[in-house]
Amino acid sequence: MPKTQPLPDVAHETAAHGRTLDWVGMSHVALPLQWQGRTLAADADVEVNLIDAQARGIHMSRLYLHVQDAFADAEPNAATLGQVLQQLIDSQGKGSDAARLTLRFSPLLSRKALASDNRGWRSYPVTLTAEQGPQGITLRLALTVQYSSTCPASAALSRRANADAFEARFGAQGESVSTQHVSDWLAGADGLAATPHAQRSNAHVEVTLAAGTQSLPIESLLDALEAALATVVQTAVKREDEQAFARLNAQHLMFCEDAARRVAMVLSARNDVVRFSARVEHLESLHAHDAVATVHGSGAARV
């Protein structure tokens, strides 16, 4: 029987053009992830640096083996992420001293309706980036919140049009018109001369978490951002919920500049945030283009 020969491993060859590399690894690795007692489908990028300028490549398969089940039984937090990152570095021998892991997943949160007893599920896309190097571990969270934005300028123009329609209908009657007559007219088809335009909008937020943060404040951040924006999109609604939503939009008229400042106000006050950046997008219903605003700053945990 012929003797089995060892399989060749060309990764151990010397690089033709030797130099170090910032990051090498794999993107879009499918894996399971635990979150609040549920198993979610996650998508991961896993990378290490290459500090041996003469090494042709890294041990790629070792990265995959270390992450494929890393979060199948344990939620990602500072402790579990630190363990995985160290395993990734150790798997490369002396060839690496830094690792980066990016996890993309969508937690499901139950949200109550505004007025009725209905509830529904909302899916929130989250990107978690954990990076470990000689200086320690850095955790970054990227979140997206969807909300409705009603244009303040359009609201002012609509109010003027409604006032003009009222004067055209009742101006000649002076003070003789009854409150009930006016109320009936306002509730009818002729009582609304114009409506302001509104659109679905997105707040894309990225935060660098403070050192010592153990549990990921995903739900806390989402709750705070939604409270500040006020007009977040809904799940199951009845007529009373839709009316409550319309009232909220009237109470919270927002240009994209207003929304960006609301987001910044929330993030700058948080003790678990070192730095933040945010971009809000109002997907215009009036224009064929969108209105956008970007802001960045420091949280209360700034260093």
Side-chain angles (χ1 to χ4, degrees), residues 124-141:
Y124 294 88
V126 172
T127 300
L128 165 64
T129 302
E131 185 174 324
Q132 178 170 322
Q135 305 304 316
I137 296 178
T138 300
L139 300 179
R140 296 192 301 275
L141 275 175

Side-chain angles (χ1 to χ4, degrees), residues 43-115:
D43 178 83
D45 300 342
V46 52
E47 304 161 291
V48 293
N49 63 348
L50 182 54
I51 57 177
D52 184 348
Q54 302 307 313
R56 187 174 183 183
I58 67 166
H59 301 285
M60 192 82 70
S61 62
R62 296 179 187 176
L63 301 184
Y64 181 91
L65 293 173
H66 278 295
V67 301
Q68 65 171 342
D69 293 317
F71 305 104
D73 299 314
E75 289 191 11
N77 54 40
T80 56
L81 288 164
Q83 292 171 3
V84 172
L85 289 169
Q86 190 59 56
Q87 290 171 353
L88 297 176
I89 295 171
D90 294 342
S91 74
Q92 305 301 310
K94 297 183 181 300
S96 302
D97 64 1
R100 182 168 66 186
L101 177 64
T102 300
L103 298 172
R104 289 174 288 270
F105 55 101
S106 295
L108 281 170
L109 298 180
S110 177
R111 294 310 202 195
K112 186 185 179 303
L114 292 172

